[in-house]
C-alpha cells in the first residue's frame, strides 16, 4: 500500500506519477502533460522490437509553439495501477521520443488538438545506426553472446530521462549451443538482432526466438521456453462471466502470481474469437502438414524436413497438454512445400548448424534445417486460437506472460453447483500466452486490448496416434 492510503474505487483506476515533455532547448525544459493529454496509448507486441504509441493533446496554451514541440522531444511517463507498490514490476515507466505530429486542427477558437506519435528511444535511434562490421571480429561466437554485445553497444539507452539507468535485456536458454560468424552489411541494430534469432535454438530444439520490448524490459527469448516456464504459475485468471452466471473465486487458484487486484480487473468486457478452426486455410498454408526443403548455399546439399502438427506436437511445449488440432483432419505433408536457404560456412561450430559438425560440413547433419523449419510450424500452431480480450487496464502485466481464461459453457442453466468440466468451455478455456497489448489511459481510467494465443487444449480431440498423414 502506498503512503497516501490509495483505494481502488473502480477497475482500471491508475495513478499518474510522472508525465512530462522535455525540450532542453527551452529555458524551462519540462512541460507537465497531465492537463494536456486526453488519451495515451502504448502498444507492445512479442513480434515487434520496440514500444510505440500516441498521445492525443488538447492544447489551450499554444504549447506546441511556446515549448517548441516540433519532433524529437522526449516524453517520460510513469503510470501505476492504484494500490500497487511503486516497484519496477508494477509500473509502466519509460521515456519516449516524439517522432510524429499528426491530426492537428482547431477544437474551437481557443483550443487546438494534435496527436504526438511516440516511440522508444532505442527505436528512434535505430534507423540512423547502420553497422558495417564482422561479428565477431574473428573466429565464432554463440548467438546469445552476440545478441548481448549488439544490445549493449548499439541499442541500450537510458530507460528514463533524465538520470535513468540503461535499458537491459533478458536472454533465455543461455548459453546457446554453437557459434556463428557473419557480416553486418550496414544493417541496423534491430536487423542484426532479428537475424540472430534464426540461429538461436530453445530448449525444445526449435529456432523460435524473438526479440522484443515489453513495458518492463527487452527480451531475446524462445516462445516455447516462455510457455513451458510459466505453465505452473500463470499471471492471473481472467473470466468472461455473463449476467446470471456465478462469479469465480480466484482464491482457489494458489498458483497465480499476480492475483492481488480486485476480481473486476480480470473480468473481460468482450472476447473476440475470429476462429477456432479453418481446415481449408490450414491445408492451404501448411498449418497442419508441410515439408521444408533446406538448401545449403555453401555445400550444395539439401535436407527435406517433414512436418505434421498432430505427430510433432505430442512432445512440444503447449499451453495445455492436449493437441489443438482435431484428429482426422485431412492433411498431407507433400501438399505444401517451403523453401529455405542456409549457409553452413556461417556456423563455425554448431550441433544445430545446418550441415556442420565441429566446423566441418557433414552431409545429412541438418540440425539447423530442422530447427529453422520447425519455427514456422510452431508459429502456425497458434493460428486457430488467436483471440482478443478487452479488460480493465493494469500496469503490472506485460506481453510474454501466461494468463488463464475461464470461459463458461453457454447452456440454459449454470449455477454455483456446476463445477469442473461441466462449468467451463473445454475448448475456449485454459492457458494463453499474451502476445500483444494495447494500453489506453484516459481521465476515465485504463483499458487494455490483449491479443492472447494458445496451441493446446484442456482435453484431446481424438486419439494421439492419428496417422492420416503419409509422405513417402
Amino acid at each position: 500500500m502506498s503512503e497516501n492510503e490509495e483505494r481502488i474505487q473502480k477497475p482500471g483506476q491508475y495513478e499518474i506519477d510522472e508525465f512530462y515533455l522535455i525540450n532542453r532547448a527551452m529555458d524551462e525544459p519540462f512541460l507537465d502533460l497531465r492537463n494536456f493529454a486526453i488519451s495515451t496509448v502504448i502498444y507492445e507486441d512479442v513480434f515487434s522490437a520496440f514500444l510505440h504509441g500516441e498521445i492525443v493533446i488538447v492544447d489551450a496554451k499554444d504549447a506546441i509553439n511556446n515549448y517548441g514541440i516540433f519532433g524529437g522531444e522526449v516524453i517520460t511517463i510513469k503510470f501505476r495501477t492504484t494500490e500497487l507498490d511503486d516497484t519496477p514490476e508494477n509500473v509502466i515507466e519509460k521515456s519516449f521520443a516524439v517522432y510524429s505530429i499528426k491530426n492537428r486542427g482547431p477544437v474551437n477558437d481557443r483550443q487546438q488538438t494534435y496527436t504526438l506519435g511516440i516511440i522508444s528511444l532505442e527505436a528512434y535511434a535505430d534507423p540512423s545506426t547502420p553497422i558495417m562490421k564482422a561479428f565477431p571480429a574473428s573466429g565464432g561466437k554463440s548467438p546469445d553472446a552476440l545478441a548481448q554485445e549488439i544490445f549493449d553497444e548499439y541499442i541500450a539507452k537510458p530507460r528514463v530521462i533524465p538520470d535513468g539507468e540503461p535499458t537491459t535485456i533478458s536472454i533465455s536458454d543461455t548459453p546457446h549451443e554453437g557459434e556463428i560468424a557473419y557480416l553486418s552489411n550496414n544493417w541496423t541494430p534491430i536487423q542484426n538482432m532479428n537475424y540472430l534469432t534464426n540461429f538461436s535454438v530453445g530448449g525444445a530444439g526449435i529456432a523460435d526466438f524473438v526479440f522484443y520490448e515489453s513495458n518492463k524490459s527487452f527480451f531475446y527469448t524462445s516462445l516455447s521456453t516462455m510457455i513451458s516456464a510459466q505453465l505452473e504459475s500463470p499471471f492471473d485468471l481472467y473470466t468472461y462471466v455473463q449476467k446470471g452466471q456465478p462469479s469465480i473465486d480466484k482464491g482457489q487458484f494458489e498458483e497465480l502470481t499476480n492475483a492481488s487486484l480486485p476480481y473486476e480487473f480480470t473480468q473481460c468486457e468482450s472476447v473476440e474469437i475470429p476462429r477456432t478452426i479453418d481446415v481449408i486455410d490450414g491445408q492451404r498454408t501448411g498449418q497442419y502438414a508441410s515439408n521444408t526443403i533446406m538448401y545449403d548455399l555453401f555445400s550444395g546439399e539439401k535436407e527435406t524436413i517433414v512436418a505434421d502438427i498432430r505427430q510433432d506436437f505430442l512432445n512440444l511445449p503447449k499451453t495445455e497438454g492436449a493437441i489443438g488440432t482435431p484428429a482426422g483432419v485431412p492433411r498431407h505433408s507433400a501438399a505444401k512445400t517451403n523453401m529455405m536457404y542456409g549457409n553452413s560456412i556461417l556456423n563455425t561450430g554448431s550441433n544445430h548448424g545446418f550441415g556442420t559438425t565441429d566446423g566441418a560440413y557433414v552431409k545429412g547433419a541438418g540440425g539447423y534445417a530442422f530447427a529453422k523449419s520447425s519455427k514456422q510450424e510452431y508459429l502456425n500452431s497458434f493460428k486457430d486460437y488467436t483471440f482478443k480480450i478487452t479488460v480493465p487496464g493494469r500496469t503490472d502485466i506485460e506481453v510474454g506472460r501466461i494468463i488463464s481464461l475461464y470461459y463458461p459453457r453457454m447452456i440454459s442453466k449454470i449455477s454455483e453447483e456446476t463445477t469442473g468440466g461441466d462449468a467451463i468451455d473445454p475448448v475456449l478455456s485454459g492457458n494463453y500466452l499474451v502476445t500483444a497489448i494495447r494500453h489506453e489511459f484516459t481521465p476515465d481510467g485504463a483499458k487494455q486490448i490483449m491479443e492472447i494465443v494458445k496451441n493446446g487444449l484442456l482435453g484431446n480431440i481424438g486419439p494421439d496416434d492419428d496417422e492420416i498423414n503419409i509422405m513417402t
Side-chain angles (χ1 to χ4, degrees), residues 417-437:
E417 291 73 31
T418 307
T419 60
D422 294 332
I424 65 173
D425 188 300
V427 173
L428 302 180
S429 298
N431 291 325
Y432 288 80
L433 176 68
V434 180
T435 53
I437 304 177

Side-chain angles (χ1 to χ4, degrees), residues 320-332:
E320 298 288 355
I323 299 171
T325 302
V329 169
R331 61 197 188 277
H332 198 291

Side-chain angles (χ1 to χ4, degrees), residues 241-349:
V241 176
Q242 303 301 295
K243 184 177 180 180
Q245 295 175 331
S247 61
I248 306 302
D249 178 16
K250 292 200 297 182
Q252 61 183 302
F253 300 95
E254 297 180 355
E255 69 277 12
L256 301 175
T257 64
N258 290 65
S260 62
L261 291 175
Y263 168 80
E264 291 78 11
F265 271 81
T266 53
Q267 167 65 11
C268 299
E269 297 177 16
S270 65
V271 178
E272 295 181 28
I273 306 173
R275 81 185 211 190
T276 56
I277 191 169
D278 187 329
V279 174
I280 301 302
D281 182 71
Q283 293 170 329
R284 180 179 57 82
T285 61
Q287 175 185 350
Y288 302 142
S290 65
N291 72 94
T292 299
I293 299 175
M294 175 66 81
Y295 184 76
D296 190 328
L297 297 171
F298 174 67
S299 67
E301 298 292 337
K302 68 178 182 179
E303 290 278 349
T304 299
I305 309 298
V306 176
D308 181 273
I309 195 168
R310 289 283 305 177
Q311 296 172 19
D312 297 342
F313 270 75
L314 290 174
N315 299 312
L316 289 179
K318 300 182 289 294
T319 51
E320 298 288 355
I323 299 171
T325 302
V329 169
R331 61 197 188 277
H332 198 291
S333 296
K336 175 66 176 179
T337 299
N338 304 303
M339 289 295 300
M340 290 188 177
Y341 300 92
N343 192 338
S344 58
I345 199 172
L346 297 176
N347 300 280
T348 60

Side-chain angles (χ1 to χ4, degrees), residues 18 55 132 150 236 253 345 426 446:
E18 293 179 355
I55 303 173
M132 183 63 176
I150 291 169
D236 207 342
F253 300 95
I345 199 172

Side-chain angles (χ1 to χ4, degrees), residues 61-178:
K61 297 182 178 181
D62 198 24
I64 192 168
N65 292 310
N66 291 334
Y67 283 87
I69 306 175
F70 305 127
E73 297 77 30
V74 172
I75 291 178
T76 295
I77 69 169
K78 183 180 179 182
F79 296 162
R80 175 177 53 85
T81 297
T82 304
E83 289 191 15
L84 288 184
D85 292 333
D86 185 1
T87 56
E89 64 271 16
N90 287 334
V91 303
I92 297 179
E93 185 177 18
K94 175 73 174 175
S95 288
F96 297 85
V98 176
Y99 76 92
S100 70
I101 303 173
K102 299 179 179 179
N103 305 321
R104 185 175 177 179
V107 176
N108 51 46
D109 62 336
R110 299 181 181 182
Q111 292 180 315
Q112 63 178 315
T113 182
Y114 44 90
T115 300
L116 303 179
I118 59 173
I119 197 166
S120 293
L121 300 179
E122 297 83 356
Y124 192 68
D126 185 73
S128 59
T129 314
I131 305 172
M132 183 63 176
K133 64 178 290 187
F135 286 105
S138 62
K141 213 169 187 179
S142 64
D144 61 308
L146 287 174
Q148 186 72 62
E149 175 185 334
I150 291 169
F151 182 86
D152 291 342
E153 184 172 352
Y154 297 101
I155 296 178
K157 297 286 185 293
R159 181 160 189 85
V160 176
I161 290 181
D163 305 325
E165 294 294 323
T167 47
T168 59
I169 187 171
S170 174
I171 302 178
S172 73
D173 298 277
T174 57
H176 294 182
E177 187 174 346

